Amino acid sequence: MTFKVSPIRAFKDNYIWMFAASDNKDVCIVDPGDADPVLSVLQSLDLCLSAIILTHHHADHIGGVKKLLEQFPHIPVYGPRSSKIDTVTHPLGDGDRLTLAGVEFSVLAVPGHTLDHIAYYAQLPASGIEESGSGVLFCGDTLFAGGCGRIFEGNPPMMYESLRKLASLPASTMVYCAHEYTRSNLRFALRVEADNPNSVERVRVVEAACSAGIPTVPSLMSMELRTNPFLRCHMVTVRSAVIESMAISSESSDTEVFAALRRWKDSFSG
């Protein structure tokens, strides 16, 4: 069995992820903020929706759930234990497990972007996924390709610990985030680490992909570890850049460096 993941574009820059065993017409959908593109894909490919999984309560991630349930009223909806999502039939928390499309997922609590945010991780055989990875991570708006989500409900220490949790997953993990922010994230990454050859090369590849209209995600965790400044707050190059640019103490902890880095990115317009 091959595990197949496909993107469905929504709004300006959202990705709704669809996954299934490659030999099966039953598919699962991740974070359907808009039902219409999902229904269009299901109809055009003659697929049947078998489950919905949610990472957090923001409207661009859950807004299409009720309309999908009108078409598929008996399917399970997996998501965080949250009073802000009334469509979840199977509430989940850190350490829970679920099996979908023949694959067992572990649930990871990753608060920061929102307090209820969770991610879904599955370890797969090396040949079990169509891309080159051996694991899959649906991480919503916590970790992005080249960046991380804004902190709306949590605080910097909370978000930093969530990112550290994700960074500890195997380097071969394919990272399926929910937005096409890679180009702007990497431009900021180069501002932080201008001499990082991995980032320079990644920018070249991403710029070409964006120009061709090709998705820049998923990414490999190994690439995130080499180029994503939010996963590199312990590195001298990142620390030095943040200390200088944000005028923080040279004795700042990695968490304090992260907090300043996030503030820097929030004001970045490059």
Side-chain angles (χ1 to χ4, degrees):
M1 181 196 77
T2 301
F3 185 79
K4 182 178 181 180
V5 186
S6 304
I8 300 174
R9 291 183 181 266
F11 307 119
K12 179 182 177 181
D13 50 35
N14 279 65
Y15 286 121
I16 300 168
W17 295 107
M18 179 175 72
F19 67 90
S22 59
D23 57 351
N24 201 312
K25 290 287 189 178
D26 292 331
V27 299
C28 304
I29 293 292
V30 184
D31 284 351
D34 186 357
D36 290 341
V38 175
L39 291 170
S40 177
V41 169
L42 294 177
Q43 182 177 11
S44 65
L45 299 178
D46 190 26
L47 300 173
C48 181
L49 183 59
S50 61
I52 295 171
I53 70 174
L54 306 173
T55 61
H56 65 292
H57 68 260
H58 283 162
D60 63 326
H61 291 253
I62 68 170
V65 174
K66 290 184 178 180
K67 186 172 182 177
L68 290 173
L69 291 177
E70 291 174 1
Q71 299 292 319
F72 303 92
H74 302 300
I75 64 171
V77 180
Y78 300 91
R81 294 187 179 94
S82 172
S83 61
K84 298 180 179 181
I85 313 176
D86 60 8
T87 51
V88 170
T89 61
H90 293 66
L92 301 169
D94 193 57
D96 286 341
R97 294 180 180 273
L98 65 155
T99 299
L100 295 169
V103 172
E104 184 179 60
F105 286 87
S106 299
V107 177
L108 306 173
V110 286
H113 180 69
T114 65
L115 294 178
D116 62 8
H117 207 302
I118 58 176
Y120 301 81
Y121 169 74
Q123 179 68 41
L124 304 173
S127 60
I129 190 168
E130 289 199 337
E131 289 84 2
S132 58
S134 62
V136 56
L137 172 69
F138 296 113
C139 54
D141 288 357
T142 297
L143 175 63
F144 291 134
C148 75
R150 289 179 179 265
I151 302 170
F152 290 124
E153 296 178 6
N155 55 48
M158 185 183 293
M159 186 68 157
Y160 185 57
E161 285 306 308
S162 293
L163 290 171
R164 289 184 63 193
K165 180 185 289 188
L166 297 183
S168 71
L169 295 173
S172 57
T173 300
M174 301 296 295
V175 179
Y176 291 87
C177 63
H179 290 276
E180 183 59 76
Y181 293 162
T182 314
R183 172 186 271 168
S184 61
N185 285 342
L186 290 179
R187 287 174 177 171
F188 176 70
L190 272 185
R191 178 69 63 87
V192 179
E193 289 186 287
D195 296 325
N196 183 336
N198 296 301
S199 295
V200 171
E201 174 60 15
R202 190 178 184 189
V203 166
R204 185 190 68 78
V205 172
V206 164
E207 291 285 355
C210 289
S211 296
I214 299 171
T216 65
V217 289
S219 64
L220 271 172
M221 185 65 76
S222 58
M223 179 59 75
E224 297 306 317
L225 295 172
R226 293 196 297 269
T227 61
N228 189 327
F230 294 98
L231 303 186
R232 295 170 56 82
C233 293
H234 60 291
M235 300 293 291
V236 171
T237 48
V238 174
R239 288 183 57 85
S240 298
V242 175
I243 289 167
E244 178 179 354
S245 295
M246 300 302 290
I248 63 173
S249 168
S250 60
E251 302 300 317
S252 295
S253 67
D254 292 346
T255 301
E256 290 167 333
V257 169
F258 167 78
L261 182 65
R262 184 62 260 183
R263 293 194 303 272
W264 186 5
K265 177 63 165 64
D266 290 343
S267 63
F268 180 72
S269 59

